[in-house]
Every structure is written in C-alpha cells, then in structure tokens.
Amino acid sequence: MSNIVVVGTQWGDEGKGKIVDLLSEYSDYVVRFQGGNNAGHTMVVNGKTIISHLVPSGILQKKKCFIGNGVVVDPFVLLDEIDYLMANNVDASPEMLKISDRAHIIMPYHKQIDSAREIKKGDKKIGTTGRGIGPCYEDRATRRGIRFADLLELDLFEEKVRMIMDEKNFYLKNYFNTETLDPEDVIEQILAIKDRLIPYIADVSVILNKGIDDGKNVLFEGAQGTHLDIEHGTYPFVTSSSTVSGNAACGSGVGPCKLNQIIGIVKAYTTRVGSGPFPTELFDEVGDAIQKKGAEFGATTGRKRRCGWLDMVILKNAARLNSLTGLVITKLDVLDELDELKICTGYQYNGEVMDAFPPSIKVLENCTPVYETHPGWKQTTSHLTDYEDFPDNAKKYLARVEELSGVSIKIVSVGPGREATIIKDKFF
C-alpha cells in the first residue's frame, strides 16, 4: 500500500469513517489533517457502533494514530473521547495516539463566541455546530491562537490567555451583550487537565516523515466534504478549514510529493446537514424514503440530513479540486427499492446549462438541476459480496457515475458493516 488521502466529495457524511477503518488494516499510521469535533465518523464493527469526532478511525484497527497540526482540538472533548474509546476496549493511550504540538486548542471563549454569533444572526445563521471551531481558526489566522506546545511553557500559556481574553470579553460584553468569562477560571480549567494531555503531545510532522522514510504506509483522513471547504465550497455555508486533498500535506506536515493516491468518497445520492444551497434536494416522498432508509442523521449533531439525487456537478468539481485517483461509492443499498433514479448532469440558469460549479450562492439557489433518469434495480444488494453479482441496472448506474466523473470506482459499500464492502478494483 502507498500513502493514501481519503476525502469527502460532497457536503460531508459520505461514509469516510468506514472506508478509513477498512484501509487502516493495510496502513501503519493514520492521521487526521483538518477540522475539529464538528465532524463525526461512524463505524460499525461486529455489530457495534463506534463514533469518533477527533481520534482517527484507524484506532479501531490498533494502528498508531495522529491528530495533525491542521486540526483544532477541544481538549475536554478529546479526553472524553479517549475515555469512551478505552471503555469500549479500544486502546487510545499515548502509545497509540499523538497530537501535534502545533495543533490549536479550542478554548472556552471560542465556544461562547460561536454560540453568541449564531444567536445574533437569527434567521441568517450559517448553521455551525457551536463547538468553537470557526472562532479557533480565526485566532489561528490572526496569530492569537493557543497551541498544544504552549502547554509545555505554562508562564507563556497563562500570559497569552490573559491577553487574548481581554479582547474576547470586550467583544462578548459590548457586541453580543452576553456573559463574559474569567481568565483565571479558564486557565484553571486547562491546567486541571494539562497532565493528562502532555503525554499525547508530539512533533507529528517529524514522526510521520521518519515513518515514511522507513517504509511505513500512511493514511490521511479528512473530515467534512469538498463542498464545505473554506475556499472552494458553498461559501459562506462552509466549515472553517480546507477540506480538500491538498491540505493533507499542510495539515500534517508531510510534503505533497509523498502523497500517492487520492480517494474520494461519494454517497450514491447526496445529503447535506445545516443551511446552504442544495440544488438536487428532494422535498417529496422519495427524499423522505431515502432519509429514513439511509438513517440520515448527523453523527456529531444528530440533525436530520437533507437528501437529494446524486449531483455530478459537485462530484466533477471534487474530482478536479482533489486530483482524485479513485472513487468509493457508499450506501448504494439505500436505493435498492426505488423504481427509478435520477442523476444531475448540469444546472440550468437563465436559460443556459452549466456543468461547472458556480461560486455565487444566489446563482446556486436559483439553479434548476438537469436530470437524466435511470431505471432502478429493485433488488437487495446488502448481502452481495462480489461486484459481478450486482443487478445489471446497478452496474449501469455506477458505470454512468464513472463516465461522468472521469474517475474509476474502486470500492462499493452496501451497508454499514465492514463485511458489506465490495472491492471492485483493489488499489491497496
């Protein structure tokens, strides 16, 4: 196996966790390179569901896992997740998990600001999870962030917190008209967990690069999806980090020439959580049926996911932005009972058909999807173990996805369990 990057191609929730869990078996190291605990990976192992928000999915395969410098980390959530994993007989000790010393810490004031900002926006809110991810990335960009390395120099840590919070409290009190926080209380909260965190802190970039030089295979795990990317997504209805494959290098400290394959995960239909344009969204009984059978609820928020037909405009956009070398189709079985399926091949706007993803939210909101219709296969696929046994119409549907995207399908998933995974073209 080579060094592989796994990214979502839609708006997240594509099933990356299951695929990372599968590929972890053939990896030595697994690294998360962006996002925060606003993302969640759901994995089903031997009938048991395990959900992670920060720790890479590879921890279930007993592989050494890393949280890269591109991730923003709520230390309280991280410790809770470590305890949760340990309670489920998953080794998440410092021997198995390391956090980059350059990763930024989500502080209590970040969450306070995040929630206050959404309340103030009212009906125009973006739909953040309120977990402080955006405000933490803001501080990183303006050079006011607290990093895990700061926990190794307590005098500096305390000085930085007091200085930063002077501004944060002014902002909370005078702009949001909400409660302020006591800097000493915030410092005390972090110091109370410092000793548990320190054994996990390391220079992840050095460890990963040495491992690669020694012949280790590294799996790079992204969070969310391409169209939540801060630069390339449906801005401003996006996350606060770069979700595309290029950030696997920046967010882990591994040079891009060491990334060998880029695998895009795509759900057999399209979903989205929260606000933002969604051209192929369904508001009828078909959308309800997909939502129900697909159990489409966010792993992190529990929010109901909006459902729609497969959108090839965004998939082609993802293929270009990520330089995809292969696709993994997930949840194909959710479509088993439908009489017919639709694939969006373009957007109609002002009498013209576009096949490229537009940057304007207003344009997207006024686009009409151009569909082609395909017959359903009306057969159960969840029990299949060989691609050759797939119904003909299912094969034709998948072949059309390959044709329109220009990227070959490597794996097809027909259920949540590890066993419900068909290798069409082994690349590892």
Side-chain angles (χ1 to χ4, degrees):
M1 182 171 160
S2 52
N3 300 320
I4 296 175
V5 181
V6 173
V7 295
T9 60
Q10 296 160 314
W11 282 290
D13 307 308
E14 299 95 348
K16 296 180 294 297
K18 174 186 174 178
I19 303 306
V20 170
D21 175 55
L22 170 72
L23 296 178
S24 295
E25 182 178 347
Y26 307 94
S27 306
D28 300 297
Y29 296 160
V30 182
V31 56
R32 168 88 175 270
F33 62 82
Q34 52 80 214
N37 61 300
N38 54 341
H41 286 163
T42 303
M43 297 143 286
V44 179
V45 183
N46 298 324
K48 187 173 186 177
T49 299
I50 301 288
I51 298 176
S52 67
H53 300 280
L54 286 167
V55 178
S57 311
I59 202 77
L60 298 185
Q61 292 280 10
K62 301 180 180 180
K63 300 304 170 90
K64 289 192 174 181
C65 291
F66 302 86
I67 297 174
N69 57 275
V71 182
V72 293
V73 180
D74 185 324
F76 301 98
V77 171
L78 176 63
L79 292 177
D80 284 346
E81 187 165 307
I82 288 171
D83 291 342
Y84 160 75
L85 291 169
M86 292 290 223
N88 282 278
N89 299 314
V90 178
D91 186 359
S93 66
E95 288 70 34
M96 297 301 294
L97 175 67
K98 292 297 181 186
I99 309 161
S100 172
D101 48 14
R102 292 167 173 80
H104 282 246
I105 299 175
I106 296 174
M107 301 291 286
Y109 49 81
H110 290 135
K111 291 183 279 189
Q112 185 91 336
I113 290 171
D114 203 0
S115 297
R117 184 177 288 160
E118 285 289 271
I119 291 170
K120 190 175 181 68
K121 286 179 179 177
D123 293 340
K124 295 183 179 179
K125 64 183 180 181
I126 293 174
T128 77
T129 57
R131 287 163 168 77
I133 282 85
C136 186
Y137 275 117
E138 288 175 28
D139 279 358
R140 185 181 78 162
T142 54
R143 303 175 297 281
R144 293 175 299 185
I146 303 292
R147 303 192 298 174
F148 278 89
D150 294 327
L151 297 182
L152 307 178
E153 300 178 84
L154 290 183
D155 289 345
L156 175 62
F157 167 75
E158 293 182 20
E159 178 185 343
K160 289 177 71 172
V161 171
R162 292 188 183 104
M163 179 181 65
I164 291 166
M165 286 196 64
D166 185 53
E167 177 186 330
K168 300 301 182 188
N169 278 333
F170 181 87
Y171 189 37
L172 286 167
K173 179 181 179 181
N174 294 285
Y175 184 69
F176 293 119
N177 298 313
T178 191
E179 293 182 7
T180 58
L181 299 174
D182 185 341
E184 302 310 314
D185 286 345
V186 170
I187 290 170
E188 187 60 34
Q189 287 177 48
I190 301 298
L191 293 184
I193 60 173
K194 168 184 65 71
D195 290 341
R196 286 196 65 193
L197 292 170
I198 285 177
Y200 288 94
I201 302 172
D203 192 331
V204 166
S205 172
V206 170
I207 298 172
L208 292 176
N209 279 279
K210 184 179 185 303
I212 292 172
D213 291 343
D214 291 341
K216 302 288 188 185
N217 295 314
V218 181
L219 185 60
F220 297 83
E221 170 185 323
Q224 289 106 11
T226 295
H227 294 86
L228 290 176
D229 185 274
I230 185 67
E231 297 189 61
H232 301 289
T234 47
Y235 190 90
F237 299 97
V238 293
T239 193
S240 298
S241 61
S242 180
T243 62
V244 297
S245 61
N247 196 36
C250 184
S252 65
V254 173
C257 288
K258 294 182 178 179
L259 309 179
N260 305 118
Q261 295 194 63
I262 316 294
I263 301 300
I265 315 301
V266 52
K267 204 173 285 185
Y269 46 98
T270 308
T271 64
R272 179 166 195 165
V273 170
S275 305
F278 184 176
T280 67
E281 184 172 7
L282 291 168
F283 301 96
D284 57 11
E285 64 278 1
V286 176
D288 290 340
I290 291 174
Q291 195 280 328
K292 184 177 180 180
K293 184 171 182 182
E296 294 295 353
F297 295 92
T300 297
T301 63
R303 289 182 292 183
K304 182 178 177 179
R305 295 178 187 140
R306 302 150 63 190
C307 298
W309 295 119
L310 183 61
D311 187 336
M312 292 307 303
V313 178
I314 66 170
L315 183 53
K316 287 192 291 184
N317 195 49
R320 175 175 53 81
L321 291 171
N322 292 292
S323 293
L324 296 181
T325 60
L327 294 177
V328 174
I329 306 294
T330 61
K331 291 199 169 184
L332 185 73
D333 58 302
V334 174
L335 305 179
D336 283 351
E337 298 171 10
L338 299 182
D339 292 320
E340 64 177 28
L341 313 170
K342 292 184 179 180
I343 295 176
C344 172
T345 58
Y347 301 152
Q348 188 170 51
Y349 180 73
N350 283 346
E352 296 184 3
V353 175
M354 303 182 294
D355 61 1
F357 193 71
S360 168
I361 293 297
K362 283 192 174 182
V363 170
L364 274 172
E365 288 175 341
N366 290 282
C367 281
T368 301
V370 177
Y371 288 120
E372 57 181 36
T373 302
H374 296 260
W377 42 92
K378 302 289 289 183
Q379 293 176 243
T380 301
T381 59
S382 57
H383 66 286
L384 299 178
T385 57
D386 191 318
Y387 185 78
E388 293 306 314
D389 295 331
F390 272 39
D392 287 342
N393 284 344
K395 289 180 183 177
K396 290 176 182 177
Y397 182 78
L398 295 173
R400 186 59 174 154
V401 173
E402 288 184 317
E403 182 182 8
L404 290 169
S405 67
V407 185
S408 61
I409 294 171
K410 306 295 185 181
I411 296 174
V412 181
S413 172
V414 290
R418 284 177 178 168
E419 70 286 350
T421 312
I422 292 88
I423 310 299
K424 181 173 180 286
D425 181 6
K426 191 167 185 176
F427 60 94
F428 50 88

